Amino acid sequence: MDTVVLEGATHKKAGPGSVPGVPAPPVKRPKAKKAKKAVVFFEVEILDAKTKDKLCFLDKVEPNATIGEIKSMFHKSHPQWYAARQSIRLDPKGKSLKDEDVLQHLPVGTTATFYFRDLGAQISWVTVFLTEYGGPLLLYLMFYFRVPFIYAPKYDFTTSKHWVVHLACMCHSFHYLKRLLETLFVHRFSHGTMPLRNIFKNCTYYWGFAAWMAYYINHPLYTPPTIYGEQQVRIALIIFLFCQVGNFSIHIALRNLRPPGSKTRKIPYPTKNPFTWIFLLVSCPNYTYELGSWFGFTLMTQCLPVAFFTAVGFIQMTVWAKGKHRSYLKEFRDYPPLRSPILPFVL
């Protein structure tokens, strides 16, 4: 027989080289290799959004490629259109796709058609901010020191006898120095560039108003507030400084919401800093504090051009605040319902 019975166990007859009574080790069989899933590549066609002419055809594009990577591929075939000035869309009149959008997650087939629109020459946000904020700082100081060709020759390099004029110069300079430093060390921009043409529009606004205000505040015939006098100026100074600190606090809080190099958006909430508690009632308290600063400056100088600048700024900031408030409501379902865009319970 081929088997040997030992203590009730049945074993196969030991083969040559094996120990009697010890079962042979199991034979290891090689595992069958799993078939690799074939990668389905995409074909990407980019058309001009206006003329519908074919501009580029990209073959064998990885499904996990982002729009930013597709822009880089497009730039190789059209060097005049670097990534920052490209707008890639699913529809000629639709919204621009985000750089982080992934190809396979978009509503397109394996042969994807995108539409390109040229955004024009671009310039970095940092450069724009430094230019539009540096101008008012220098212009105001030129009027304050009464450099020649601004007022009558007899007033060249003279100083005002009113202390509120010197205080206004300090407040105005402090405001724009703060903005310049925040641009360099605080702000984190979700978009690296903006159209070059915007710098001319922005500078006209900031530089023009700064020169207009400075001309009248530093004019030899300027008269300070007389109704409430020094008390009015002191109250205005407190409002101005309070709102400047509040504005800076909000900028720090917003900066901490976004890690370096990230474009993630989160709901801003109050922190331990009391100046941020206004987030309980307002979506854009940085604009609220900015408005308060210029209201204080208007009260301090009692100057009509300053009041007009404050009013125009309020209108523009309200437009920005409403847009940001709508985007918060659209993006976050749990967004606090009590918040208003810029003024608590009002606007």
Side-chain angles (χ1 to χ4, degrees):
M1 295 180 64
D2 291 334
T3 59
V4 178
V5 179
L6 181 62
E7 295 181 358
T10 302
H11 302 276
K12 289 185 180 179
K13 188 174 180 179
S18 62
V19 180
V22 178
V27 179
K28 292 184 179 180
R29 296 181 180 178
K31 294 182 179 179
K33 294 183 179 180
K34 293 182 179 180
K36 291 184 179 180
K37 189 176 181 180
V39 178
V40 179
F41 291 100
F42 281 65
E43 293 180 343
V44 176
E45 185 181 49
I46 300 179
L47 308 180
D48 188 289
K50 293 181 179 179
T51 64
K52 307 301 185 298
D53 294 336
K54 183 187 290 188
L55 299 175
C56 181
F57 181 80
L58 304 173
D59 192 19
K60 293 185 178 180
V61 179
E62 294 280 350
N64 57 352
T66 63
I67 293 299
E69 292 170 342
I70 291 176
K71 286 182 178 181
S72 298
M73 300 177 196
F74 181 62
H75 173 55
K76 290 180 181 179
S77 59
H78 296 277
Q80 72 274 26
W81 292 319
Y82 46 88
R85 67 182 294 170
Q86 296 178 33
S87 171
I88 302 296
R89 314 165 182 213
L90 291 172
D91 184 83
K93 297 182 180 179
K95 292 184 178 181
S96 300
L97 296 170
K98 298 178 181 179
D99 285 352
E100 56 269 23
D101 287 339
V102 180
L103 182 58
Q104 63 183 351
H105 296 158
L106 296 173
V108 295
T110 53
T111 301
T113 300
F114 294 113
Y115 295 90
F116 162 80
R117 187 178 290 272
D118 183 13
L119 297 176
Q122 300 288 300
I123 187 172
S124 72
W125 277 90
V126 173
T127 302
V128 173
F129 278 12
L130 293 178
T131 305
E132 67 185 33
Y133 297 154
L137 176 63
L138 297 177
L139 281 171
Y140 195 100
L141 291 175
M142 290 174 62
F143 285 90
Y144 174 74
F145 290 111
R146 294 176 179 172
V147 297
F149 307 110
I150 295 180
Y151 305 113
K154 65 179 180 179
Y155 296 114
D156 290 351
F157 297 111
T158 58
T159 57
S160 175
K161 62 182 179 180
H162 304 297
W163 69 279
V164 68
V165 172
H166 307 298
L167 180 63
C169 180
M170 288 188 286
C171 289
H172 189 275
S173 300
F174 173 80
H175 174 75
Y176 281 102
L177 278 172
K178 167 183 164 292
R179 283 194 169 190
L180 290 170
L181 292 174
E182 286 177 339
T183 299
L184 293 172
F185 303 110
V186 177
H187 292 319
R188 287 174 179 161
F189 302 100
S190 56
H191 300 285
T193 62
M194 68 185 300
L196 178 62
R197 61 182 177 272
N198 285 6
I199 194 172
F200 302 104
K201 177 181 65 177
N202 293 10
C203 287
T204 300
Y205 172 76
Y206 283 105
W207 294 24
F209 268 115
W212 190 26
M213 292 187 295
Y215 177 82
Y216 284 99
I217 296 173
N218 297 287
H219 198 282
L221 300 180
Y222 169 79
T223 54
T226 55
I227 300 177
Y228 298 102
E230 292 185 4
Q231 184 180 2
Q232 176 180 332
V233 175
R234 290 193 179 96
I235 293 173
L237 177 62
I238 293 172
I239 294 173
F240 177 84
L241 293 177
F242 178 87
C243 291
Q244 285 290 285
V245 175
N247 181 265
F248 177 75
S249 300
I250 298 301
H251 286 163
I252 292 295
L254 293 174
R255 177 185 186 272
N256 293 336
L257 282 179
R258 179 176 294 164
S262 171
K263 294 185 179 181
T264 57
R265 283 165 53 89
K266 300 178 183 178
I267 300 176
Y269 286 104
T271 66
K272 294 180 180 179
N273 184 344
F275 286 95
T276 66
W277 295 352
I278 193 175
F279 269 126
L280 294 171
L281 302 174
V282 172
S283 293
C284 303
N286 51 322
Y287 297 147
T288 309
Y289 282 124
E290 182 77 7
L291 174 63
S293 294
W294 286 109
F295 172 76
F297 196 72
T298 303
L299 193 64
M300 178 190 301
T301 58
Q302 202 166 292
C303 183
L304 185 60
V306 181
F308 190 70
F309 176 70
T310 302
V312 173
F314 173 58
I315 294 171
Q316 180 60 72
M317 287 187 288
T318 300
V319 173
W320 290 337
K322 284 185 174 181
K324 198 167 186 179
H325 183 74
R326 284 194 298 267
S327 67
Y328 278 142
L329 292 173
K330 184 178 180 180
E331 186 173 356
F332 303 106
R333 293 183 178 180
D334 56 341
Y335 192 72
L338 290 179
R339 293 188 187 181
S340 302
I342 188 169
L343 296 179
F345 310 113
V346 178
L347 187 63

PDB file of all heavy atoms in Angstrom, residues 108-119:
ATOM      1  N   VAL A 108     -16.806  66.106 -19.508  1.00  0.00           N
ATOM      2  CA  VAL A 108     -16.326  65.956 -20.884  1.00  0.00           C
ATOM      3  C   VAL A 108     -16.058  64.480 -21.143  1.00  0.00           C
ATOM      4  O   VAL A 108     -15.873  63.692 -20.211  1.00  0.00           O
ATOM      5  CB  VAL A 108     -15.031  66.764 -21.125  1.00  0.00           C
ATOM      6  CG1 VAL A 108     -15.303  68.256 -20.998  1.00  0.00           C
ATOM      7  CG2 VAL A 108     -13.933  66.351 -20.161  1.00  0.00           C
ATOM      8  N   GLY A 109     -16.025  64.099 -22.411  1.00  0.00           N
ATOM      9  CA  GLY A 109     -15.684  62.734 -22.773  1.00  0.00           C
ATOM     10  C   GLY A 109     -14.176  62.580 -22.912  1.00  0.00           C
ATOM     11  O   GLY A 109     -13.401  63.456 -22.550  1.00  0.00           O
ATOM     12  N   THR A 110     -13.760  61.454 -23.451  1.00  0.00           N
ATOM     13  CA  THR A 110     -12.324  61.231 -23.646  1.00  0.00           C
ATOM     14  C   THR A 110     -11.762  62.131 -24.739  1.00  0.00           C
ATOM     15  O   THR A 110     -10.550  62.291 -24.850  1.00  0.00           O
ATOM     16  CB  THR A 110     -12.064  59.755 -23.998  1.00  0.00           C
ATOM     17  OG1 THR A 110     -12.886  59.388 -25.115  1.00  0.00           O
ATOM     18  CG2 THR A 110     -12.384  58.855 -22.816  1.00  0.00           C
ATOM     19  N   THR A 111     -12.642  62.703 -25.535  1.00  0.00           N
ATOM     20  CA  THR A 111     -12.231  63.745 -26.477  1.00  0.00           C
ATOM     21  C   THR A 111     -12.855  65.044 -26.002  1.00  0.00           C
ATOM     22  O   THR A 111     -14.034  65.309 -26.219  1.00  0.00           O
ATOM     23  CB  THR A 111     -12.690  63.420 -27.911  1.00  0.00           C
ATOM     24  OG1 THR A 111     -12.127  62.166 -28.327  1.00  0.00           O
ATOM     25  CG2 THR A 111     -12.236  64.514 -28.871  1.00  0.00           C
ATOM     26  N   ALA A 112     -12.047  65.841 -25.296  1.00  0.00           N
ATOM     27  CA  ALA A 112     -12.555  67.041 -24.636  1.00  0.00           C
ATOM     28  C   ALA A 112     -12.305  68.273 -25.492  1.00  0.00           C
ATOM     29  O   ALA A 112     -11.254  68.410 -26.112  1.00  0.00           O
ATOM     30  CB  ALA A 112     -11.885  67.214 -23.275  1.00  0.00           C
ATOM     31  N   THR A 113     -13.300  69.143 -25.524  1.00  0.00           N
ATOM     32  CA  THR A 113     -13.180  70.404 -26.261  1.00  0.00           C
ATOM     33  C   THR A 113     -13.266  71.559 -25.288  1.00  0.00           C
ATOM     34  O   THR A 113     -14.228  71.678 -24.519  1.00  0.00           O
ATOM     35  CB  THR A 113     -14.300  70.534 -27.312  1.00  0.00           C
ATOM     36  OG1 THR A 113     -14.206  69.446 -28.245  1.00  0.00           O
ATOM     37  CG2 THR A 113     -14.168  71.849 -28.065  1.00  0.00           C
ATOM     38  N   PHE A 114     -12.243  72.408 -25.296  1.00  0.00           N
ATOM     39  CA  PHE A 114     -12.212  73.590 -24.447  1.00  0.00           C
ATOM     40  C   PHE A 114     -12.124  74.836 -25.330  1.00  0.00           C
ATOM     41  O   PHE A 114     -11.711  74.765 -26.489  1.00  0.00           O
ATOM     42  CB  PHE A 114     -11.011  73.557 -23.493  1.00  0.00           C
ATOM     43  CG  PHE A 114     -11.081  72.447 -22.477  1.00  0.00           C
ATOM     44  CD1 PHE A 114     -10.165  71.393 -22.517  1.00  0.00           C
ATOM     45  CD2 PHE A 114     -12.031  72.458 -21.480  1.00  0.00           C
ATOM     46  CE1 PHE A 114     -10.219  70.376 -21.594  1.00  0.00           C
ATOM     47  CE2 PHE A 114     -12.089  71.442 -20.544  1.00  0.00           C
ATOM     48  CZ  PHE A 114     -11.177  70.397 -20.597  1.00  0.00           C
ATOM     49  N   TYR A 115     -12.502  75.965 -24.728  1.00  0.00           N
ATOM     50  CA  TYR A 115     -12.471  77.236 -25.448  1.00  0.00           C
ATOM     51  C   TYR A 115     -11.517  78.187 -24.737  1.00  0.00           C
ATOM     52  O   TYR A 115     -11.530  78.312 -23.511  1.00  0.00           O
ATOM     53  CB  TYR A 115     -13.870  77.835 -25.532  1.00  0.00           C
ATOM     54  CG  TYR A 115     -14.818  76.985 -26.353  1.00  0.00           C
ATOM     55  CD1 TYR A 115     -15.579  75.981 -25.743  1.00  0.00           C
ATOM     56  CD2 TYR A 115     -14.923  77.159 -27.727  1.00  0.00           C
ATOM     57  CE1 TYR A 115     -16.426  75.179 -26.486  1.00  0.00           C
ATOM     58  CE2 TYR A 115     -15.786  76.358 -28.486  1.00  0.00           C
ATOM     59  CZ  TYR A 115     -16.524  75.378 -27.869  1.00  0.00           C
ATOM     60  OH  TYR A 115     -17.356  74.578 -28.605  1.00  0.00           O
ATOM     61  N   PHE A 116     -10.698  78.847 -25.519  1.00  0.00           N
ATOM     62  CA  PHE A 116      -9.661  79.731 -25.003  1.00  0.00           C
ATOM     63  C   PHE A 116     -10.016  81.192 -25.239  1.00  0.00           C
ATOM     64  O   PHE A 116     -10.513  81.556 -26.294  1.00  0.00           O
ATOM     65  CB  PHE A 116      -8.324  79.415 -25.686  1.00  0.00           C
ATOM     66  CG  PHE A 116      -7.307  80.515 -25.568  1.00  0.00           C
ATOM     67  CD1 PHE A 116      -6.560  80.686 -24.413  1.00  0.00           C
ATOM     68  CD2 PHE A 116      -7.103  81.400 -26.626  1.00  0.00           C
ATOM     69  CE1 PHE A 116      -5.634  81.710 -24.307  1.00  0.00           C
ATOM     70  CE2 PHE A 116      -6.170  82.420 -26.538  1.00  0.00           C
ATOM     71  CZ  PHE A 116      -5.430  82.579 -25.367  1.00  0.00           C
ATOM     72  N   ARG A 117      -9.766  82.007 -24.223  1.00  0.00           N
ATOM     73  CA  ARG A 117      -9.923  83.454 -24.356  1.00  0.00           C
ATOM     74  C   ARG A 117      -8.687  84.125 -23.757  1.00  0.00           C
ATOM     75  O   ARG A 117      -8.262  83.778 -22.649  1.00  0.00           O
ATOM     76  CB  ARG A 117     -11.186  83.935 -23.657  1.00  0.00           C
ATOM     77  CG  ARG A 117     -11.494  85.415 -23.913  1.00  0.00           C
ATOM     78  CD  ARG A 117     -12.797  85.813 -23.238  1.00  0.00           C
ATOM     79  NE  ARG A 117     -13.936  85.194 -23.894  1.00  0.00           N
ATOM     80  CZ  ARG A 117     -14.578  85.715 -24.929  1.00  0.00           C
ATOM     81  NH1 ARG A 117     -14.179  86.874 -25.447  1.00  0.00           N
ATOM     82  NH2 ARG A 117     -15.611  85.098 -25.453  1.00  0.00           N
ATOM     83  N   ASP A 118      -8.148  85.071 -24.483  1.00  0.00           N
ATOM     84  CA  ASP A 118      -6.952  85.775 -24.036  1.00  0.00           C
ATOM     85  C   ASP A 118      -7.344  86.856 -23.024  1.00  0.00           C
ATOM     86  O   ASP A 118      -8.152  87.732 -23.330  1.00  0.00           O
ATOM     87  CB  ASP A 118      -6.234  86.390 -25.235  1.00  0.00           C
ATOM     88  CG  ASP A 118      -4.938  87.086 -24.860  1.00  0.00           C
ATOM     89  OD1 ASP A 118      -4.459  86.884 -23.727  1.00  0.00           O
ATOM     90  OD2 ASP A 118      -4.396  87.826 -25.704  1.00  0.00           O
ATOM     91  N   LEU A 119      -6.776  86.800 -21.829  1.00  0.00           N
ATOM     92  CA  LEU A 119      -7.072  87.780 -20.786  1.00  0.00           C
ATOM     93  C   LEU A 119      -6.241  89.050 -20.915  1.00  0.00           C
ATOM     94  O   LEU A 119      -6.431  89.982 -20.150  1.00  0.00           O
ATOM     95  CB  LEU A 119      -6.828  87.150 -19.401  1.00  0.00           C
ATOM     96  CG  LEU A 119      -7.712  85.959 -19.037  1.00  0.00           C
ATOM     97  CD1 LEU A 119      -7.299  85.388 -17.689  1.00  0.00           C
ATOM     98  CD2 LEU A 119      -9.182  86.354 -19.017  1.00  0.00           C
TER      99      LEU A 119
END
